[in-house]
Amino acid sequence: MPAGTPALLMPELPEVETVVRGLRRHLPGRRIVELRLGKTDFMDDPAAIGERVPGSLIRAVRRHGKFLVLDLEAGAADGSGARAELLVIHLGMTGQLTVVAADTEVKPHTHVFFMLDDRRELRFCDPRRFGRMLVATPADGQKILGPLGADPLEVSEADFRRLITSRRARIKALLLDQTVFRGMGNIYTDESLWRAKIHPARLGANLKPPEIRKLHRAMRAILEQAIKLGGSSISDYVGADGEPGEFQIRHRAYDREGKKCFRCRARIRRMIVAGRSSYFCPKCQRAPRGL
DNA sequence: CGTTGAACCTGTTTGC
DNA sequence: TGCAAACAGGTTCAAC
């Protein structure tokens, strides 16, 4: 495990999906009766959250890329003056959302307590505070969610090809670009490229149709498997119920520098591509010319 | 357009 | 042993 890797959770698409599914079992139908705030520098507008969230009813929990969205119905409990609000949350690198009994011990770096009407609390904990939180009308929420690209699990092969070949950036950069595909992160990008045998520094526009087809399939298969396994790649993952999981995905490339490729036994290498650590097999994933 | 590097912030591991 | 450096799953912005 690389230095400093927080043994908490890795919020890429499968992890956020896992959190959303966990929250869905507890939150819809609950009312947020009170809010307590710690540090708020990860909020767009802390005052707005303090004013508009308390008293609201949680209608639904959903995911948009790596963003979690709570659909709220704000206004009086009798339904008068009801208005729709979105609570938009990004977990950044170390964010956690858990639903716990109100008397549960508070972990360090817990910055938001959403007190519910069933003596429980939704808590947001984020040591690095790279996360983000805001309340918005559905229209304003579109300013955040609207620019996000295609859902990697839904995108058709034809659209996938078009999105990749119409750009001149490296494939690694394209997969990580949230305005192209929403939800891909560093781990699953490397895993998808390894499975499709494509070097991260290849230009998207230069990929051949069979390669694009393989990548499309690899990406979806890996994301689906990760979701199925509970969306975590390290052992100390904590789900929405606060319970540690035993989810283990065996990385094929990510964080395996110097180890043998599971396909060809060559040594996995690491290089910086698109500003991020990138792990690949130099034999299976042929480097583009000029590298 | 696309790339790079720095910044945001805290914690853990590595290396001297 | 101790301390500093390097690094981390994310995003955003400035500079080239």
Side-chain angles (χ1 to χ4, degrees):
Chain A
M1 192 179 302
T5 297
L8 296 171
L9 84 161
M10 317 68 73
E12 298 186 29
L13 186 156
E15 290 72 35
V16 178
E17 178 65 25
T18 300
V19 171
V20 162
R21 290 182 184 184
L23 296 178
R24 235 176 234 153
R25 301 210 312 274
H26 303 294
L27 295 183
R30 298 267 64 82
R31 191 171 292 277
I32 298 169
V33 295
E34 194 185 333
L35 194 58
R36 290 192 184 165
L37 302 180
K39 291 186 177 175
T40 58
D41 55 357
F42 54 90
M43 295 177 174
D44 288 40
D45 185 347
I49 289 181
E51 288 164 18
R52 290 156 66 180
V53 170
S56 60
L57 182 66
I58 302 170
R59 284 297 193 190
V61 183
R62 55 200 167 87
R63 178 183 63 76
H64 203 77
K66 297 176 196 169
F67 284 93
L68 294 104
V69 181
L70 271 60
D71 288 295
L72 305 180
E73 184 182 305
D78 62 7
S80 65
R83 63 180 196 283
E85 299 264 27
L86 305 183
L87 183 62
V88 179
I89 300 171
H90 197 293
L91 299 177
M93 304 246 299
T94 55
Q96 280 186 28
L97 279 171
T98 54
V99 177
V100 298
D103 59 4
T104 302
E105 185 176 358
V106 177
K107 289 192 315 180
H109 306 293
T110 301
H111 300 116
V112 190
F113 303 77
F114 300 89
M115 304 166 73
L116 307 173
D117 58 2
D118 63 353
R119 297 176 153 264
R120 290 192 298 173
E121 295 176 352
L122 170 65
R123 294 182 182 174
F124 179 73
C125 174
D126 186 4
R128 285 176 79 177
R129 304 201 303 286
F130 282 0
R132 185 176 179 190
M133 190 177 295
L134 64 133
V135 64
T137 62
D140 285 345
Q142 274 307 108
K143 291 173 187 164
I144 305 287
L145 306 176
L148 296 178
D151 185 325
L153 288 170
E154 310 263 308
V155 66
S156 69
E157 190 186 319
D159 287 343
F160 186 73
R161 169 178 291 110
R162 187 175 43 74
L163 286 166
I164 282 176
T165 54
S166 64
R167 300 279 300 270
R168 221 137 316 171
R170 293 168 171 153
I171 186 61
K172 169 105 181 185
L174 289 177
L175 291 175
L176 285 176
D177 185 338
Q178 300 299 299
T179 68
V180 179
F181 301 107
R182 61 175 120 113
M184 291 295 285
N186 203 34
I187 294 179
Y188 295 110
T189 292
D190 279 5
E191 293 300 304
S192 300
L193 290 170
W194 179 87
R195 183 141 161 179
K197 301 186 182 177
I198 296 169
H199 193 285
R202 295 272 303 278
L203 298 188
N206 288 348
L207 296 187
K208 302 287 177 283
E211 294 178 313
I212 293 174
R213 183 184 182 82
K214 271 204 294 192
L215 181 56
H216 178 247
R217 293 185 167 190
M219 177 179 76
R220 301 203 312 172
I222 283 167
L223 292 175
E224 278 167 11
Q225 183 202 14
I227 290 171
K228 204 170 182 176
L229 292 176
S232 177
S233 314
I234 44 179
S235 53
D236 296 355
Y237 171 75
V238 176
D241 296 309
E243 74 228 358
E246 299 174 25
F247 319 115
Q248 285 288 353
I249 296 171
R250 180 145 74 157
H251 296 150
R252 302 290 163 155
Y254 183 79
D255 198 22
R256 297 197 66 246
E257 183 178 20
K259 303 206 169 107
K260 289 180 180 171
C261 171
F262 285 118
R263 269 192 308 247
C264 76
R265 317 309 287 173
R267 303 284 177 178
I268 296 293
R269 287 182 42 190
R270 181 179 94 112
M271 68 182 289
I272 302 297
V273 180
R276 309 292 300 277
S277 266
S278 301
Y279 301 85
F280 62 96
C281 171
K283 196 170 160 192
C284 294
Q285 298 165 264
R286 198 172 65 78
R289 294 160 56 88
L291 220 80

